[in-house]
Amino acid sequence: MYGYTYDTESGGLLLTDKTTQSSNEPRPVYAQELDNLGIDNIWRYEKQQDVPYMWAEANHYIYRGRIIFNTVGGSLYVKPTVEVTYRKDEDGKVTDIPTLEPKTVLEPVDLALMCERNKEILDIVEQITVKKIYGVYQRRKKNLDCFHVAFSGGKDSVVLLELVKKALPRSSFMVVFGDTKMEFPDTYELVDQVERQCKEEGIAFYRAATHFEPEDSWKLFGPPSKVLRWCCTVHKACPQTLKIREVLDKNDYVGLDFVGVRSYESVARSGYKEEGYGKKQKGQYSHNSILDWNSAEVWLYIFLHDLPVNATYKKGNSRAGCLFCPMGGGKADSFRNISYPEGIKKYTDLIQETIEDKNIESYITNGGWIERKNGRDIVGNKSRYLEEIKDGYLYITLVRPLTDWREWIKTLGEVSFPYDVETTENGIVVRIPASVDKTTEGKYFKQVFHKAAYCVGCRACEANCRNGCISFKEGLRIENCVHCKECHHIDDGCLMYHSVQLPKNGGRVMKSLNTFADHAPKVDWIVNFFSYGNEFLKDNTLGPMQISMFRRFLSDAKLIEKNKTTPFFDLMKKLGWESNRAWGLILIQLVYSNPQIRWYVDHMPIGEEMPRAYLEDQLQGEGVSAKDAASIAKSFKRLVEIPLGTELNFGMITMQGRKITALKRCKTRMNESLILLYALYRYAEACVNYYQFALSTLMDMEIESAGISPVKIFGFDYDEMEAMLRGLSAKYNDYIDVTFTHDLDKITLRDYHRAEDVLELF
């Protein structure tokens, strides 16, 4: 809601009386985190854990309004590097004087003074939020069966619970802790404390957990990944739904879930609405009561009201959640491993047991495990479900199915097409007309056999069924089914099948990723195209595949459209098509339009030489065939031989004889601020018109979003970005405004402009 700055007197945060649309998400830094980073070798401080000493925003550490050091890098097995910052002179040049002198004694934040100075604004924020909570309660209470607070043990849910307690009668809501059994150890201590307090205050408190232990589920489903996030359903969403049904003794209950989601947490969450239906849980309302709060307000509210703090934050962990999560990585993993080495080892051991023929340390550190898209690499995994089309029929073979298909077929009601089921020694063979294979009814029919083949009783189907027709209490039983098909509204109809299915023909080929198919552009193709334009497209000596792939490249670069040159082509000619400024713009177009170029940018950190074998293995881990993976690696060589490499310095390759052994993406020779402006607008538009953000966000390579930071594309460092941004703000203030206060930053793009408007500036 409100902006904030740093109060040098208290060492704390100070809310301003202006609302804001951006936040760098500050968090308090305690002695234990400083110890973990080795800061006690640089500055002095008492080793107390009750009061923070400073604040962190992403990789910046801020003491009394000044960034005194930054962290760089970090991974599961490697600590982040600490880089002390240095003062700048009147001209903005960095000097050799540290921002804070070594051996300085750090003073803790004066919490009392900080809270006193923020109380008035925090009271306003509280009143607004409490009024919202009470308002939705009054509107919905006559039509709902329950209200409950989704409690996670993190800072946001602690604040949310306090606000709900102030807004509603104690008997009008319950608190449900979704215990994934994979939480930070410190989270359980805080949950115990909150549970005791709730019981003392007459508030119903429940814990919801799956019957699976993580050791069992990870082995059954395979390690979770970015796209195979079965864990959220199995370990969190389903148990909460089933627990509330149990408490209310009602399968078709309709409730409202108070959730501590905040829009500042991520680009994705910035698009959330305050109130929703069916977004978090099907058939249920949700209210994101603190959606507009930033982390400054959250932490100040915690300190003002002396709310409990999860000790995991004091160890440097910016979030409380699952201990080892595929959505983590980088410095976050490093802090988790420092804080809970035994807990982390439990999960890395599970990955090692589960994944076949991998250099596990490299596989985990470099994110191979989080990119898993199927069950290809799971030890001993053999398909229980096979399909084959022959003589006009689709044959489905189930090998050693885990459940009875005759139970699951009840979910469909009457099947409109003929089918035969033959029992075999190892399972069954099902035959249906091939014509129904791609129909909606055919999809549901096949899902029946996905379920029959792979169901391990995760209870996702049971949780989806609001009519109470599915039960796993004494084995699978489906009775009085009304054929709503909600149990089919799960990935591939079965989470287990979805997570461990084997790619068809030994490898699910991602044709869209290999966009050049061994025919990446050559230098002479580029020269001739820019020399002759449309004439070259009509009349050239390239083979059919060569011209087809080259047209794809030109189209993705926005140089042609419908086989004719574009105004962007004309602009490149005017700028000098062989120049690095022209190829800087072309690279931006390619990154947003060509998945192969995007893959290089996303998976090849600038300045890091990557063994070809490792990159090909990473591609295959994403479901790319071995042949296409080799083609994508080879294409990089051609790309760095055209002006993209020779002029812009996009990358380089290492050869051993005629064989490519390593690939490296390089910092580009690009320092033109207008190209940065174009990249910023493309970034904002890709992030669903997210026109206000921080430079620290752009510098953080761990953040994932639909937009691509110019830093990731070009390799700019912080000082280069700051200098170009200042210049842009001064010269093109109608397009961009930037502020740098106490070394903190905010970038605001004018939302009445679009990226194509920036091109007009050239």
Side-chain angles (χ1 to χ4, degrees), residues 580-611:
N580 64 18
R581 67 196 310 237
W583 283 92
L585 289 170
I586 290 171
L587 176 57
I588 295 169
Q589 309 287 33
L590 288 169
V591 164
Y592 281 101
S593 300
N594 185 281
Q596 186 168 339
I597 303 293
R598 173 72 184 255
W599 192 91
Y600 295 138
V601 170
D602 279 340
H603 293 79
M604 297 175 63
I606 286 177
E608 185 174 334
E609 189 170 73
M610 313 288 283

Side-chain angles (χ1 to χ4, degrees), residues 2-166:
Y2 287 89
Y4 67 92
T5 185
Y6 286 92
D7 180 10
T8 56
E9 185 178 356
S10 69
L13 301 170
L14 185 63
L15 296 178
T16 67
D17 58 1
K18 293 182 180 179
T19 58
T20 181
Q21 290 184 322
S22 73
S23 169
N24 293 341
E25 290 291 278
R27 61 179 179 84
V29 178
Y30 290 78
Q32 191 164 354
E33 179 176 352
L34 298 176
D35 289 348
N36 291 341
L37 290 170
I39 299 303
D40 51 353
N41 294 320
I42 306 173
W43 296 289
R44 300 174 185 173
Y45 49 89
E46 290 185 27
K47 300 301 179 79
Q48 53 84 27
Q49 298 297 334
D50 298 322
V51 183
Y53 282 97
M54 61 185 70
W55 303 85
E57 293 181 358
N59 296 324
H60 302 315
Y61 286 73
I62 301 140
Y63 178 71
R64 299 187 177 266
R66 295 181 296 171
I67 298 176
I68 61 170
F69 71 92
N70 299 314
T71 55
V72 178
S75 65
L76 187 65
Y77 301 112
V78 179
K79 278 188 178 183
T81 302
V82 171
E83 292 186 351
V84 174
T85 59
Y86 293 87
R87 298 178 189 176
K88 296 177 181 178
D89 62 21
E90 294 179 356
D91 297 325
K93 293 183 179 180
V94 178
T95 69
D96 58 358
I97 304 171
T99 304
L100 186 67
E101 292 292 339
K103 304 301 180 184
T104 298
V105 177
L106 303 180
E107 295 293 331
V109 175
D110 186 336
L111 293 181
L113 180 59
M114 179 180 73
C115 291
E116 178 189 338
R117 290 180 172 177
N118 288 287
K119 186 178 186 306
E120 185 176 346
I121 290 181
L122 283 173
D123 285 346
I124 295 171
V125 174
E126 178 189 84
Q127 291 167 20
I128 292 170
T129 310
V130 165
K131 187 175 180 180
K132 287 180 183 178
I133 294 169
Y134 182 71
V136 73
Y137 170 72
Q138 287 292 341
R139 280 189 289 111
R140 300 285 185 192
K141 67 178 181 178
K142 291 182 180 179
N143 302 314
L144 298 182
D145 296 301
C146 70
F147 293 83
H148 82 276
V149 175
F151 191 76
S152 69
K155 66 184 188 302
D156 300 325
S157 63
V158 165
V159 168
L160 175 66
L161 176 56
E162 181 71 9
L163 292 164
V164 174
K165 285 160 63 173
K166 291 186 176 182

Side-chain angles (χ1 to χ4, degrees), residues 433-465:
S435 58
V436 303
D437 181 25
K438 303 299 182 183
T439 65
T440 300
E441 192 175 10
K443 180 188 79 171
Y444 288 142
F445 185 85
K446 291 197 294 183
Q447 286 182 355
V448 162
F449 295 94
H450 294 169
K451 294 173 185 289
Y454 283 95
C455 176
V456 292
C458 75
R459 303 183 76 184
C461 296
E462 183 180 355
N464 271 28
C465 178

Side-chain angles (χ1 to χ4, degrees), residues 20-21 24 37 45 85 109 122 241 255 288 335 355 375 393 427 433-434 465 498 501 522 525 534 575 590 605 667 726:
T20 181
Q21 290 184 322
N24 293 341
L37 290 170
Y45 49 89
T85 59
V109 175
L122 283 173
T241 298
N288 300 319
F335 276 128
I355 299 300
Y393 289 95
C465 178
H498 182 66
Q501 65 177 305
K522 288 186 173 182
W525 303 359
N534 288 324
L575 293 179
L590 288 169
K667 179 177 179 178
R726 287 184 186 277

Side-chain angles (χ1 to χ4, degrees), residues 482-503:
V482 298
H483 319 306
C484 67
K485 297 186 177 63
E486 285 298 323
C487 63
H488 287 267
H489 296 165
I490 298 168
D491 292 326
D492 285 323
C494 173
L495 289 176
M496 177 72 174
Y497 169 80
H498 182 66
S499 187
V500 304
Q501 65 177 305
L502 293 171

